[in-house]
């Protein structure tokens, strides 16, 4: 194992039996600073393994998924230091084990983003097929196809991919059958050290992909988005260490926009880029939420609860620049307060509407038509509930519904929420919400 300095983890380990208790009806007011993006930070940490030189990242969110990624890197023998809150330094000189275990993949699908960089740098990797989570099957066939296209040999045995690149990966054309965010990212990361040119099309257009490209360019990689849905890479033999500040989390920003809207509050989101939320903010504007946006802040004024001021909408999720599938759950909570019947279409994942049943238990008028379509009629008066969450975005959205509901809700499985939202209770408390973390068995709540 490389001389990994002791990793000082200020982060409070997640208590599996954690619950959040939310007393609804409070109007949120004030300012909230949006944290660094989970879905950018995880890929940036993985990209650092493309070089043996030190890389430094700022504005990394202190969340469970980052802790899991750091732990996975350390198990590989990568040195990861945490010199200050939200700051991580990565140096992957000599990696001991090119093995990403089931435990990492089971905890976090994003561990699969290690495939591209480790294969490109070291020529071989054994990596667990990541478990899906509660929003669909979540296969990784497109990632594997991309590695094949770059010249890798892949065997699949007992849940693990055994991937080798005899010699160096070779640049090629990678044509995905449909857009895949992490598939695009794995292909870019592998191509960065391949011999020759790689053209990826259609390439995902999510802002997190462009944040990764910006970091790779600082490392000396020749990576460029040459058309909205095309990325071209001229492989290099070696890349250098670089520093990077993680972009803001646009999904967290959307979550807090809805929190203000459904509590009739007035909230300013700082470190929030409206340009990353084009369709989402258009939808909220059409619903009747008052918004004013600057380059890196968003002001939201919600309509008083029960005022029937919000209008129903028809929404359909899509890859960027469409409405982010991760914002479908928060938007659904808003639509329970809209006057009329809204139509939801979820085009990205096959069962990301299931969670609406819990919203129905809170009094929302929800009809799940099929795996991809639902209707929500409003406005509905939401009532408190005790509920178990199974995935990150649905969990956060049930917190939003609880903030708008009458009474006190208990949301079990809150560790799912803390996987992806930094200090979410503290942020809501500072906006005037009544919310606390409750460990089952003790009545402790967050101060
Ligand atoms: C990323 O997942 C995000 N996760 C997801 O956020 C996000 O919902 C998703 O992109 C879409 O924007 C991270 O970045 C860590 P995809 P990813 O490949 O890359 C299918 C969150 O809560 N597919 O774009 O895994 C897939 O099943 C998470 O932060 C294949 O069929 O999503 C889906 O139907 C949830 N084969 C569609 O493509 C593959 O090999 C798009 O998925 C890969 C994907």
């Amino acid at each position: 194992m490389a001389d990994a300095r002791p990793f000082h983890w200020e982060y409070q380990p997640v208590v599996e039996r954690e619950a959040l208790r939310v007393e609804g009806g409070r109007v949120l007011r004030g300012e909230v600073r949006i944290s660094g993006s989970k879905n950018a930070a995880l890929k940036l940490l993985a990209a650092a393994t493309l070089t043996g030189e030190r890389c430094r990242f700022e504005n990394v969110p202190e969340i469970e998924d980052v802790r899991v990624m750091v732990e996975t890197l350390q198990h590989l023998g990568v040195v990861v230091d945490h010199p200050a809150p939200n700051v991580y330094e990565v140096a992957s000189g000599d990696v001991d084990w090119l093995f990403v275990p089931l435990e990492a993949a089971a905890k976090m699908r994003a561990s699969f983003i290690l495939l591209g960089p480790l294969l490109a740098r070291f020529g071989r990797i054994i990596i667990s097929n990541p478990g899906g989570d509660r929003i669909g099957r979540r296969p990784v066939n497109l990632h594997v196809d991309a590695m094949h296209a770059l010249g890798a040999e892949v065997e699949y045995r007992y849940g693990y991919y055994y991937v080798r690149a005899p010699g160096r990966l070779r640049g090629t054309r990678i044509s995905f059958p449909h857009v895949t965010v992490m598939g695009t990212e794995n292909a870019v990361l592998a191509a960065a050290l391949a011999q020759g040119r790689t053209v990826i099309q259609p390439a995902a257009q999510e802002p997190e992909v462009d944040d990764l490209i910006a970091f790779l360019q600082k490392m000396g990689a020749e990576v460029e988005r040459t058309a909205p849905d095309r990325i071209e890479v001229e492989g290099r033999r070696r890349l250098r260490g670089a520093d990077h500040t993680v972009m803001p989390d646009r999904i967290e920003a959307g979550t807090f926009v809805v929190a203000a809207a459904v509590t009739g509050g007035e909230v300013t989101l700082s470190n929030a880029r409206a340009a990353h939320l084009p369709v989402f903010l258009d939808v909220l504007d059409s619903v009747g939420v008052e918004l004013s946006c600057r380059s890196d802040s968003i002001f939201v004024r919600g309509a008083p609860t029960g005022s029937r001021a919000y209008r129903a909408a028809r929404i359909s999720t899509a890859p960027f620049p469409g409405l982010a599938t991760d914002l479908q759950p928060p938007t659904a909570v808003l639509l329970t307060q809209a006057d009329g019947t809204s139509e939801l279409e979820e085009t990205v994942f096959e069962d990301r509407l299931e969670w609406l049943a819990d919203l129905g238990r809170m009094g929302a008028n929800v009809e799940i038509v099929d795996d991809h379509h639902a209707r929500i009629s409003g406005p509905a008066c939401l009532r408190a509930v005790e509920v178990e969450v199974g995935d990150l975005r649905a969990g956060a959205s049930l917190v939003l519904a609880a903030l708008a509901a009458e009474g006190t809700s208990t949301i079990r499985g809150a560790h799912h929420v803390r996987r992806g939202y930094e200090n979410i209770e503290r942020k809501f408390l500072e906006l005037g919400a009544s919310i606390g973390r409750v460990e089952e068995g003790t009545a402790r709540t967050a101060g």
Side-chain angles (χ1 to χ4, degrees):
M1 167 77 88
D3 57 335
R5 281 185 275 166
F7 175 61
H8 303 295
W9 184 262
E10 288 101 27
Y11 180 82
Q12 226 179 350
V14 171
V15 175
E16 291 299 324
R17 300 177 314 288
E18 195 175 276
L20 287 173
R21 192 156 290 159
V22 181
E23 182 193 337
R26 302 284 187 97
V27 175
L28 301 192
R29 284 197 182 87
E31 177 165 339
V32 59
R33 183 187 181 282
I34 299 303
S35 299
S37 162
K38 166 179 85 80
N39 290 347
L42 296 176
K43 296 31 167 311
L44 292 163
L45 289 166
T49 61
L50 284 170
T51 178
E53 297 180 16
R54 183 167 285 270
C55 296
R56 178 183 169 91
F57 300 106
E58 302 199 356
N59 199 37
V60 179
E62 299 291 359
I63 55 177
E64 182 63 8
D65 274 9
V66 165
R67 193 188 68 77
V68 171
M69 179 60 86
V70 166
E71 199 178 59
T72 305
L73 289 170
Q74 288 180 319
H75 283 317
L76 291 167
V78 175
V79 174
V80 184
D81 289 326
H82 188 203
N86 307 104
V87 178
Y88 289 77
E89 294 186 352
V90 181
S92 38
D94 52 345
V95 173
D96 302 317
W97 307 101
L98 287 148
F99 173 68
V100 179
L102 168 65
E103 291 74 12
K107 282 183 195 167
M108 184 184 65
R109 171 185 168 76
S111 56
F112 207 70
I113 199 63
L114 288 164
L115 169 62
L118 292 179
L119 178 65
R121 173 101 184 282
F122 298 104
R124 66 197 187 292
I125 178 173
I126 301 172
I127 186 166
S128 169
N129 182 1
D133 49 26
R134 294 270 294 266
I135 57 174
R137 289 176 302 111
R138 310 296 300 278
V140 288
N141 58 311
L142 302 181
H143 301 237
V144 173
D145 294 348
M147 296 308 123
H148 264 302
L150 288 160
E153 294 165 3
V154 184
E155 280 182 74
Y156 185 67
R157 294 202 300 265
Y158 307 113
Y160 284 88
Y161 290 99
Y162 293 70
V163 194
R164 274 174 12 96
R168 213 174 145 197
L169 293 174
R170 289 185 311 282
T172 183
R173 171 172 287 280
I174 296 176
S175 307
F176 287 118
H178 57 76
V179 167
T180 161
V181 173
M182 281 204 312
T184 298
E185 292 165 329
N186 250 332
V188 168
L189 290 167
L193 295 179
Q195 167 118 33
R197 191 161 196 79
T198 297
V199 179
I200 303 164
Q201 190 164 26
Q205 303 181 52
E206 272 65 11
E208 293 78 15
V209 178
D210 290 302
D211 207 35
L212 180 64
I213 290 173
F215 172 63
L216 289 170
Q217 289 170 343
K218 290 178 189 172
M219 295 176 82
E222 284 190 52
V223 190
E224 203 183 338
R225 191 179 286 277
T226 51
D229 72 340
R230 186 176 67 227
I231 295 172
E232 299 193 40
V233 187
E234 188 66 44
R236 304 294 298 269
R237 270 224 170 273
R238 295 171 59 83
L239 297 178
R240 57 178 179 269
D243 295 357
H244 191 72
T245 298
V246 180
M247 64 175 264
D249 193 311
R250 61 194 173 99
I251 308 303
E252 182 190 10
T255 304
F256 276 95
V257 169
V258 171
V262 297
T263 60
E266 291 194 8
V267 176
T268 299
L269 284 69
S270 59
N271 198 36
R273 294 197 198 139
H276 290 167
L277 294 162
V279 172
F280 171 75
L281 294 175
D282 287 347
V283 166
L284 266 78
D285 181 54
S286 73
V287 165
V289 179
E290 194 181 325
L291 298 162
S292 60
C293 302
R294 293 204 173 85
S295 61
D296 67 352
S297 72
I298 299 172
F299 171 75
V300 190
R301 177 178 289 122
T305 310
S307 63
R308 305 182 79 91
Y310 294 145
R311 296 177 289 276
R314 294 168 65 92
I315 64 167
S316 183
T317 63
F320 197 88
L323 177 64
T325 172
D326 294 349
L327 287 172
Q328 173 258 103
T331 307
V333 175
L334 174 64
L335 295 176
T336 66
Q337 304 307 302
D339 191 0
T341 298
S342 298
E343 310 269 344
L344 276 70
E345 182 182 30
E346 170 53 63
T347 68
V348 178
F349 292 111
E350 62 269 15
D351 50 11
R352 194 167 209 174
L353 294 173
E354 278 181 7
W355 82 281
L356 292 174
D358 287 325
L359 209 46
R361 288 178 48 227
M362 297 182 75
N365 189 340
V366 173
E367 180 196 354
I368 300 179
V369 177
D370 59 31
D371 279 358
H372 293 282
H373 299 90
R375 284 192 199 96
I376 298 179
S377 300
C381 181
L382 299 179
R383 55 181 182 271
V385 71
E386 180 160 337
V387 67
E388 177 82 30
V389 299
D391 92 78
L392 168 62
R393 305 302 177 187
S397 300
L398 284 167
V399 172
L400 298 180
L403 290 170
E406 285 172 9
T408 300
S409 300
T410 300
I411 296 166
R412 301 197 183 289
H415 57 282
H416 285 287
V417 180
R418 283 172 20 92
R419 270 187 48 208
Y421 292 89
E422 182 180 53
N423 294 329
I424 192 165
E425 311 98 82
R426 176 141 47 91
K427 286 174 178 170
F428 277 129
L429 279 170
E430 287 171 1
L431 289 174
S434 168
I435 181 170
R437 203 180 310 158
V438 178
E439 289 171 23
E440 287 180 10
T442 60
R444 185 174 70 82
T445 56

